[in-house]
Amino acid sequence: QVQLVESGGGLVQPGGSLRLSCAASGSIFSIYALGWYRQAPGKQRELVAAITRNGSTKYADSVKGRFTISRDNAKNTVYLRMNSLKPEDTAVYYCNTDRGPLGGWGPEYDYWGQGTQVTVSS
């Protein structure tokens, strides 16, 4: 059973924009903070951005000012708006539960779906 489903990835030129969506089950959405993570080939998975139930956010330094995470509680969906994309943003992007600020941020559970591919290339 899949409780977190990512979508919205694709191929975009440097400087372009994409918006990723993560649809979550109601129970997960109402209980946990949620985060976007990414993994590029040959590299470790890293936290990109996360958001708590009340809107507190965390961003990786590499995406500050370019990416915005948000959540729509009515739709049980978390978004990641990515602007000014760079080739180094190329990765598979995943959403997952996050520990939030009290837990130091990071995935709460080691459950990962298929993610959505973001490729930034000219």
Side-chain angles (χ1 to χ4, degrees):
Q1 294 78 21
V2 179
Q3 272 68 53
L4 296 165
V5 180
E6 306 94 338
S7 63
L11 174 64
V12 64
Q13 293 186 332
S17 299
L18 286 172
R19 188 179 75 163
L20 307 184
S21 298
C22 174
S25 70
S27 58
I28 289 177
F29 199 87
S30 66
I31 294 172
Y32 298 100
L34 293 166
W36 285 98
Y37 305 80
R38 68 186 181 188
Q39 187 167 26
K43 297 184 178 180
Q44 296 183 81
R45 183 157 42 219
E46 64 175 344
L47 174 67
V48 177
I51 186 167
T52 68
R53 288 167 287 172
N54 66 359
S56 180
T57 58
K58 172 72 174 181
Y59 293 95
D61 288 342
S62 61
V63 306
K64 286 181 179 178
R66 298 189 297 121
F67 291 9
T68 302
I69 189 169
S70 61
R71 61 191 290 158
D72 186 331
N73 294 334
K75 296 181 179 180
N76 292 345
T77 301
V78 177
Y79 303 97
L80 184 68
R81 188 181 73 241
M82 305 183 293
N83 296 326
S84 302
L85 283 161
K86 304 174 180 179
E88 52 262 44
D89 295 317
T90 296
V92 178
Y93 284 70
Y94 304 88
C95 62
N96 204 347
T97 53
D98 193 274
R99 295 191 299 271
L102 297 181
W105 305 98
E108 177 69 25
Y109 300 106
D110 193 25
Y111 302 145
W112 303 96
Q114 295 301 306
T116 185
Q117 176 72 49
V118 172
T119 302
V120 184
S121 177
S122 59

